[in-house]
Amino acid sequence: MNSFFALFPLLIIVFIALAVLILEVFLKRENRDYLAYISLVFLVICAFVCIQFWNKAYYYFDGNLLLDQFALFFTFILLLSTGFVVLLSMKYISLQDVNYGEFYALLLLAVSGAIIMVSSPDLLVIILGLEVLSISSYALTGLKRKDELSSEAAIKYFLLGSFATAFLLFGLALLYGASHSTGIPTIIRYFNTEADLSLMALIGLGLIVIGFGFKIALVPFHMWTPDVYQGAPTPITAFFSVVPKAACFAIFLRIFYPFWKTAFDSQAIFWLLWGISVLTMVVGNLVALRQTNVKRILAYSSIAHAGYLLVALLAQDNSSLVFYLTVYLFMNMGAFAAVIALSKKDKEYLELEDYSGIGFKYPWIGVTLSIFLLSLAGFPPTGGFLAKFYVFSSAVRQGLVPLVIIGVLASLISVYYYLRIIVHMYMREPSREVDIVVENPALFLVLFLCLYGVLQLGLYPRNILVLINQAVSLL
Amino acid sequence: MTEIFWLIPFVPALSTLILALFGTKLPKKYVSYQACLAVFGSFVISVISFLSLLQVSHESYPLVKNLFSWISSGSFNVNLSLQLDPLSAVMAMVVSGVGFIIHIYSVGYMAKDEGYTRYFTYLNLFMFAMLLLVMASNVVLMFVGWEGVGLCSYLLIGFWFEKHSAASAGKKAFIVNRIGDAGFLLGIMFIFIYIGSGEFTAINAAIGGGAITQGLATLIAILLFVGATGKSAQIPLYIWLPDAMEGPTPVSALIHAATMVTAGVYMVARMNLLYALSGTAAQIVAIVGAVTAVYAATMALTQNDIKRVLAYSTISQIGYMFIGCGVGAYAAGMFHLYTHAFFKSLLFLAAGSVMHALSGELNMKKMGGLRKYLPLTYPTFLIGAIAIAGIPFFSGFFSKDAILTAAYANGYYFVWGLGILGAVLTAFYMFRLIFLTFHGQERLDPKVKEHIHESPPVMTIPLVILAFFSIIAGFVGLPVVLGKKLNFFGHFLEPVLRGGHETHISHDLEWILIGISVGVALLGIIIAWFFYIKAPRIPERIRERFPRIYKLLYNKYYIDEIYNAAFVNPTVRGSEKIYDHFDLKVIDGAVNGTAKVTGFSGKILSYFQSGLIKDYALIFLLGVIIFIGYLIIF
């Protein structure tokens, strides 16, 4: 239905982002927690609006903003992750001295960009959303102003990000030149009807893949990831590991799913994605073995997970991809929550050595982090196992047996580095005096919600799967 | 009453939950009562279910209890459901019965350990996972149990994680098992794709209905068997089990002798129709089993650590079980699993009792003449050794003989020969162990000798119970030559092991085969007696005469070293290489350097000059060029 309502979720987020920015001026530094509360309330309202709009299929701007179930499901995922990040940040930003008023505003603006991305079928609008997301991200990365790592990461992210955007725009220009449209449906129709495909269109598509591949951190476009993940404030790292990935994969689904379904001979693109998937899984997991910094381990782990997600894309199984993303959201957020928990005033404990003996000193953090890591490694009965099983078995069904064998072997390697953290927590004597701020109810709320999510999705995923199937059936 | 079988795994699960949540606040005594009673509860329910199963006609096997639908998404459906049939009933009774006895023993063995509650929490969790594994009605749930027991095994091997060797042994076990599990998982995926369901009944129906070809059956069966070689410590993935002896001894008895390591045998027996259809896969199972049986026995010959000898012996005995399954005598393989559970856990617990008496001493070179100090441990240990050596009327004799006879009857003469060779070695190394430990000269450390004492009743009573079963457990499966009806065990399992095939041989031949296996067992014992009692200088002289062979055996064929050189180091080196190229690590330099804020802009600038961003962008650009170049060419 053509309705102004379609703008509501976006308007709420943008409005509250600006409101937070203004309110900040009137609040004392120690009262800035209120900004977090306000953001949370409006994130919840926005999520509620999304639930109300399920099945309504509102659209606006000639269909350039389309709230179908697919968009709504992804918007929901994005809002949920942002909510988690806000909760994780509350204590963190005052402890680590990043308590600037623009923190929440930038976060909300970033997610508004991601929402634009998932709810538009037009590549030009999508790139607009991507830029909103990216520019806020660059600023968020550098928020630890007194930390040289953070500033360095911000500049790197900015330069390389601009580099990637250039390719993206060039790709879009080529596609437009070939198909005379920026709308995904028209472009797909062009690919399907044109008997003699111009090279221009194909290269355009390739460049688009590269542009989004940068954000998803696919190898070899991943070089920024570890540095940025390590340098950014940790809640922001958690944000980066989920939100841009989810948004870009949503777009991949919108672009590629119709391709696989039709007669379009996408062999070249298919094998390219196949190779990138292998590279991403192998490089991500192998390099992670050598890391001693937990944030870097998680950075490489997130690269590797992008590889598994790509397997799901190649398996042409939307619901397995979306399910994997949902599980990934919970387990990764949970792992980062536990990492954030291990910090005190002006000090974060991020080296593997710091984790020695943590399991006994802080049993809740130890147990939950272990479960998240086991889930990331794909252990039953957690959600991570089911997600991997689901993805790999649909890939085998598509005949991608070599890809699955590589994937299974790569995830075998991953067990080692996830296990290493657990071994340090439980099987080493505490080597350094680690002393953390324990009173952090918001963070523990995130830990338990993620724990619930990982177990619910592992033990009783049926209801979520029904929703996911509804969401992807429209593609 | 038949319905209650689904409770079997969940009683220990409930106990685990209580212990995990409130364990530290509960008194020790309560913890031990609850943990033992939970397992006893499972055992009672298993027995009741077993008895009720006898009342049910064969056609209604298996009884399935569907708890809830776990995943249902299009063509991919998995239920959380348990099943009861003769195979799972036998396994549930063995697991919970032996498990219960070992729980009681642990109360005494672990009494002074700081991690008492943690230990019983893990042990109950293990019981849950193991019972889930044997009672699952589909492969996915079986896999969940399969991974669960692996995790518990890891936790319990590394139980004394303060010891570096224990922690790394745990990790080794875990990782080697994951390699096997990868194969298992692929096998499951193929089952789902070509059969469409993971339920055992559906798989059997599909095989019966000719839905899968022989080649496919071989592929799936071999992939599943890769998982079995990991879990059941067969060639080439056996290397973790000897190291696993770092865990507490009751754990070695329960997990690494009686139950978990036999899960692979259970799985092959459960999938017997698949292996029968494939043929090739069954042969591979038989050959891997036979080679492992002999190979592991040779390594047991030279070890001086009492638990390591038993560990290699376990690997070797599981090899026998796989021979049984591979040659089509699934019932015989399962029978050996069942008798082995008693005598091997007896041997481990008795070894634990020896360790307890000698303040933790494991080296047989520092024992000798212990029989007068340990009046109860000695005879029970001896019973275990006789049972495993295959002396008539003890349980191990019947089961091993059933396997070897079937191997011969079905035409696997080579496998039979290896089995006989393994039997000599088994008798030899077991009695070497007995003689070195309990007979001959005392070589005790004087300090240790001061504290020497027999274990408390809470530890010796389980020994006596297990010794009793090690003697009589074999009488439920007498050889065919004594009368066809007397093999109750085989008849009970027959309805689920339809993939098995028997070839009948003449009674005379069967008597001869029995004679040979008894003869070689006695031969092994006599050689051991000669070597270690009569003329103790002989082993020394052999060692001097054949130093290379001795060294090869003593160092376990250098397999650990070879694996390190062939697999571990290349992975590490590859990781390093990739690391050097893909993770330029310049940022780490900044961390290690001074964290001064001053001069920071200059530093950033110098990074640019060092070409950092340039490098990143260059790799990006190279990626783009390859990407686009590929698109242009194809």
Side-chain angles (χ1 to χ4, degrees):
Chain A
M1 200 194 321
N2 190 353
S3 160
F4 184 69
F5 286 140
L7 281 173
F8 262 39
L10 201 57
L11 280 182
I12 292 172
I13 297 295
V14 173
F15 164 76
I16 197 61
L18 298 176
V20 162
L21 206 55
I22 296 166
L23 273 177
E24 184 262 328
V25 180
F26 301 102
L27 280 174
K28 287 205 189 96
R29 212 178 153 84
E30 54 276 15
N31 289 340
R32 287 216 178 114
D33 270 0
Y34 288 113
L35 299 179
Y37 297 137
I38 295 168
S39 312
L40 276 176
V41 167
F42 280 87
L43 283 170
V44 170
I45 291 175
C46 186
F48 182 73
V49 169
C50 287
I51 295 169
Q52 292 303 309
F53 284 3
W54 192 260
N55 274 335
K56 297 260 174 44
Y58 289 128
Y59 62 90
Y60 203 63
F61 296 135
D62 291 336
N64 281 333
L65 197 69
L66 171 63
L67 285 190
D68 54 5
Q69 285 165 348
F70 183 76
L72 286 172
F73 187 88
F74 269 93
T75 306
F76 196 80
I77 285 186
L78 299 174
L79 292 172
L80 188 63
S81 343
T82 313
F84 283 158
V85 172
V86 170
L87 284 170
L88 291 178
S89 308
M90 284 167 67
K91 196 94 179 186
Y92 180 92
I93 55 172
S94 59
L95 283 179
Q96 306 305 327
D97 206 15
V98 273
N99 197 359
Y100 303 109
E102 60 265 39
F103 186 92
Y104 294 114
L106 283 172
L107 196 63
L108 292 167
L109 283 174
V111 78
S112 74
I115 293 174
I116 295 175
M117 285 169 77
V118 299
S119 43
S120 172
D122 189 285
L123 275 173
L124 197 61
V125 180
I126 289 173
I127 292 175
L128 203 68
L130 182 70
E131 280 310 287
V132 174
L133 169 65
S134 300
I135 291 170
S136 319
S137 302
Y138 306 146
L140 282 168
T141 312
L143 265 189
K144 278 173 124 180
R145 287 174 201 163
K146 289 172 192 155
D147 180 0
E148 54 191 56
L149 278 182
S150 174
S151 310
E152 187 188 321
I155 291 182
K156 276 183 189 164
Y157 196 13
F158 169 66
L159 287 176
L160 289 168
S162 319
F163 198 52
T165 307
F167 284 106
L168 198 57
L169 281 171
F170 187 44
L172 181 62
L174 290 178
L175 274 183
Y176 181 76
S179 67
H180 307 292
S181 168
T182 55
I184 293 176
T186 327
I187 292 173
I188 290 169
R189 210 172 309 128
Y190 163 79
F191 271 96
N192 286 333
T193 49
E194 205 70 14
D196 192 23
L197 264 186
S198 67
L199 192 58
M200 183 160 79
L202 208 55
I203 293 178
L205 191 60
L207 289 173
I208 296 267
V209 170
I210 290 170
F212 289 116
F214 172 81
K215 275 280 161 198
I216 299 173
L218 298 175
V219 178
F221 314 115
H222 73 290
M223 297 299 290
W224 58 279
T225 320
D227 293 3
V228 170
Y229 276 31
Q230 191 182 5
T234 316
I236 298 304
T237 311
F239 182 80
F240 288 165
S241 74
V242 176
V243 169
K245 252 188 195 125
C248 291
F249 266 105
I251 291 154
F252 272 5
L253 275 179
R254 274 199 204 270
I255 296 178
F256 284 109
Y257 189 61
F259 273 157
W260 305 148
K261 268 171 107 174
T262 55
F264 168 63
D265 179 21
S266 53
Q267 283 300 317
I269 289 276
F270 179 88
W271 286 110
L272 264 182
L273 289 177
W274 193 97
I276 286 192
S277 166
V278 169
L279 262 183
T280 308
M281 289 188 291
V282 171
V283 170
N285 282 321
L286 275 183
V287 181
L289 287 180
R290 307 277 307 158
Q291 306 298 326
T292 54
N293 179 296
V294 175
K295 264 166 104 176
R296 270 179 108 79
I297 293 180
L298 288 175
Y300 281 106
S301 132
S302 87
I303 293 176
H305 280 277
Y308 307 136
L309 284 163
L310 215 48
V311 173
L313 187 75
L314 290 168
Q316 311 173 24
D317 187 346
N318 305 323
S319 52
S320 78
L321 198 161
V322 179
F323 183 69
Y324 198 105
L325 262 177
T326 315
V327 174
Y328 174 76
L329 152 71
F330 285 103
M331 57 196 186
N332 221 38
M333 278 289 168
F336 272 109
V339 172
I340 292 167
L342 296 177
S343 60
K344 65 174 180 187
K345 181 77 188 146
D346 291 330
K347 168 79 186 155
E348 286 184 83
Y349 296 101
L350 295 172
E351 288 302 310
L352 211 47
E353 281 298 304
D354 298 329
Y355 282 65
S356 303
I358 287 296
F360 296 111
K361 206 165 173 189
Y362 305 107
W364 279 112
I365 296 174
V367 168
T368 47
L369 180 56
S370 304
I371 292 173
F372 297 132
L373 292 172
L374 287 176
S375 179
L376 283 164
F379 242 81
T382 57
F385 161 69
L386 210 56
K388 255 194 201 116
F389 186 76
Y390 200 12
V391 166
F392 284 149
S393 52
S394 46
V396 174
R397 191 169 294 140
Q398 285 298 324
L400 301 171
V401 177
L403 185 63
V404 170
I405 290 175
I406 295 169
V408 170
L409 289 178
S411 72
L412 204 68
I413 296 172
S414 77
V415 173
Y416 185 80
Y417 61 80
Y418 293 126
L419 198 64
R420 214 160 72 148
I421 303 179
I422 300 178
V423 165
H424 269 270
M425 286 198 297
Y426 285 100
M427 302 197 172
R428 290 283 158 83
E429 288 300 311
S431 59
R432 288 184 211 173
E433 209 43 56
V434 173
D435 181 29
I436 67 167
V437 177
V438 184
E439 320 81 57
N440 195 344
L443 187 140
F444 275 84
L445 181 65
V446 176
L447 271 184
F448 286 114
L449 285 176
C450 289
L451 183 68
Y452 169 76
V454 165
L455 294 179
Q456 162 86 37
L457 290 169
L459 292 171
Y460 198 72
R462 213 161 37 152
N463 298 341
I464 283 289
L465 276 173
V466 170
L467 273 185
I468 289 175
N469 280 329
Q470 277 182 28
V472 297
S473 64
L474 288 175
L475 283 175
Chain B
M1 286 302 270
T2 51
E3 279 282 279
I4 60 163
F5 69 83
W6 66 273
L7 284 169
I8 294 172
F10 291 103
V11 183
L14 182 68
S15 168
T16 309
L17 202 65
I18 295 171
L19 289 180
L21 291 179
F22 312 107
T24 46
K25 296 187 184 76
L26 297 171
K28 246 179 164 181
K29 205 159 193 176
Y30 176 81
V31 170
S32 27
Y33 277 123
Q34 186 196 312
C36 295
L37 277 177
V39 181
F40 187 65
S42 287
F43 179 63
V44 170
I45 303 172
S46 309
V47 173
I48 294 172
S49 314
F50 168 73
L51 294 175
S52 64
L53 197 63
L54 293 175
Q55 319 292 326
V56 181
S57 75
H58 289 182
E59 284 72 39
S60 55
Y61 292 162
L63 310 172
V64 176
K65 173 80 180 175
N66 198 349
L67 295 178
F68 69 83
S69 160
W70 184 16
I71 314 160
S72 70
S73 164
S75 59
F76 184 63
N77 293 296
V78 179
N79 290 335
L80 210 166
S81 56
L82 302 177
Q83 73 174 26
L84 184 71
D85 65 0
L87 197 56
S88 58
V90 167
M91 283 302 285
M93 280 198 298
V94 171
V95 170
S96 56
V98 174
F100 173 58
I101 295 170
I102 293 173
H103 268 72
I104 291 179
Y105 180 93
S106 301
V107 172
Y109 191 86
M110 300 298 287
K112 292 194 185 102
D113 201 279
E114 274 180 25
Y116 192 76
T117 312
R118 187 162 59 96
Y119 175 83
F120 277 103
T121 314
Y122 291 165
L123 217 55
N124 268 344
L125 181 65
F126 170 78
M127 293 306 292
F128 163 64
M130 187 70 205
L131 289 166
L132 195 67
L133 193 166
V134 299
M135 303 212 60
S137 80
N138 59 60
V139 278
V140 178
L141 197 58
M142 187 189 197
F143 185 72
V144 171
W146 186 273
E147 291 285 278
V149 290
L151 189 66
C152 295
S153 150
Y154 160 68
L155 290 171
L156 284 163
I157 295 169
F159 187 74
W160 288 315
F161 52 81
E162 304 87 12
K163 273 202 298 183
H164 179 70
S165 57
S168 60
K171 217 153 69 172
K172 186 173 175 185
F174 192 79
I175 288 169
V176 172
N177 266 302
R178 290 294 291 181
I179 296 174
D181 295 348
F184 196 87
L185 200 59
L186 282 175
I188 294 177
M189 284 170 188
F190 276 104
I191 289 177
F192 263 92
I193 288 150
Y194 290 100
I195 298 177
S197 166
E199 294 291 321
F200 293 126
T201 43
I203 295 171
N204 287 345
I207 294 168
I212 60 175
T213 62
Q214 200 174 5
L216 187 61
T218 306
L219 177 69
I220 295 175
I222 288 176
L223 284 173
L224 294 179
F225 185 61
V226 170
T229 56
K231 192 111 298 175
S232 295
Q234 297 293 293
I235 292 172
L237 297 180
Y238 67 89
I239 46 164
W240 62 273
L241 189 61
D243 291 7
M245 297 301 127
E246 292 288 344
T249 306
V251 169
S252 310
L254 177 63
I255 302 184
H256 306 118
T259 55
M260 182 191 85
V261 288
T262 58
V265 181
Y266 165 76
M267 188 276 295
V268 173
R270 173 60 76 201
M271 293 287 182
N272 63 80
L273 287 179
L274 189 72
Y275 283 87
L277 172 63
S278 156
T280 319
Q283 275 170 8
I284 291 174
V285 171
I287 289 166
V288 169
V291 172
T292 309
V294 174
Y295 175 79
T298 57
M299 287 188 283
L301 296 178
T302 54
Q303 299 299 313
N304 290 324
D305 180 317
I306 189 167
K307 279 179 79 182
R308 278 187 181 250
V309 174
L310 293 177
Y312 283 111
S313 154
T314 304
I315 299 174
S316 163
Q317 294 300 310
I318 295 170
Y320 279 101
M321 298 174 205
F322 278 118
I323 296 178
C325 293
V327 301
Y330 295 97
M334 286 302 296
F335 189 37
H336 197 52
L337 187 162
Y338 151 84
T339 58
H340 178 259
F342 294 114
F343 60 71
K344 187 49 70 61
S345 51
L346 167 64
L347 286 168
F348 266 111
L349 295 188
S353 176
V354 172
M355 279 170 68
H356 191 80
L358 301 183
S359 324
E361 184 59 64
L362 279 165
N363 191 345
M364 295 192 289
K365 294 260 145 126
K366 291 187 183 162
M367 296 180 186
L370 288 179
R371 85 192 122 140
K372 57 178 176 286
Y373 300 109
L374 304 173
L376 256 173
T377 307
Y378 172 63
T380 48
F381 205 119
L382 188 63
I383 288 170
I386 294 174
I388 194 175
I391 299 299
F393 311 116
F394 285 70
S395 58
F397 162 73
F398 294 111
S399 52
K400 198 188 280 180
D401 183 62
I403 289 171
L404 292 178
T405 308
Y408 190 88
N410 288 343
Y412 289 84
Y413 303 119
F414 175 65
V415 168
W416 175 83
L418 284 177
I420 290 293
L421 179 60
V424 188
L425 297 174
T426 306
F428 176 78
Y429 69 68
M430 272 328 291
F431 277 83
R432 170 177 176 267
L433 185 107
I434 291 272
F435 293 142
L436 280 178
T437 312
F438 294 102
H439 293 261
Q441 259 184 330
E442 277 180 33
R443 298 176 298 274
L444 294 167
D445 210 315
K447 260 193 206 151
V448 169
K449 202 176 165 184
E450 275 171 37
H451 299 289
I452 197 162
H453 60 282
E454 179 62 289
S455 305
V458 68
M459 287 166 68
T460 49
I461 291 171
L463 290 182
V464 174
I465 298 172
L466 285 172
F468 175 70
F469 280 106
S470 300
I471 299 172
I472 64 142
F475 287 96
V476 296
L478 297 179
V480 186
V481 74
L482 297 175
K484 261 205 116 174
K485 290 273 161 60
L486 290 177
N487 188 355
F488 302 111
F489 193 88
H491 282 294
F492 180 60
L493 289 183
E494 220 168 54
V496 269
L497 300 177
R498 279 172 292 144
H501 58 94
E502 285 174 39
T503 316
H504 288 289
I505 50 174
S506 71
H507 279 193
D508 293 342
L509 186 56
E510 200 171 342
W511 279 118
I512 292 171
L513 291 176
I514 290 175
I516 293 176
S517 48
V518 175
V520 295
L522 289 174
L523 180 71
I525 295 173
I526 291 166
I527 300 176
W529 176 79
F530 201 74
F531 273 31
Y532 293 98
I533 300 288
K534 185 82 178 37
R537 297 224 27 236
I538 295 183
E540 196 58 44
R541 243 181 269 154
I542 293 181
R543 200 174 311 158
E544 281 159 14
R545 198 73 176 278
F546 305 103
R548 286 221 183 130
I549 294 179
Y550 177 81
K551 245 185 142 180
L552 189 67
L553 292 181
Y554 186 75
N555 289 309
K556 301 158 269 177
Y557 298 95
Y558 298 99
I559 290 294
D560 276 325
E561 286 77 6
I562 292 172
Y563 278 10
N564 268 337
F567 301 112
V568 180
N569 294 342
T571 310
V572 173
R573 239 175 287 135
S575 159
E576 258 164 36
K577 279 247 170 68
I578 293 184
Y579 177 66
D580 290 345
H581 287 101
F582 284 85
D583 187 294
L584 297 176
K585 217 193 162 193
V586 178
I587 209 160
D588 281 0
V591 182
N592 298 335
T594 49
K596 280 180 201 152
V597 183
T598 48
F600 127 84
S601 56
K603 251 187 192 169
I604 288 286
L605 220 64
S606 74
Y607 288 149
F608 292 163
Q609 281 160 354
S610 82
L612 180 66
I613 286 271
K614 200 182 75 190
D615 285 350
Y616 284 17
L618 193 68
I619 290 175
F620 191 121
L621 199 62
L622 275 178
V624 173
I625 290 169
I626 295 170
F627 203 101
I628 299 304
Y630 178 88
L631 283 180
I632 291 173
I633 292 165
F634 294 94

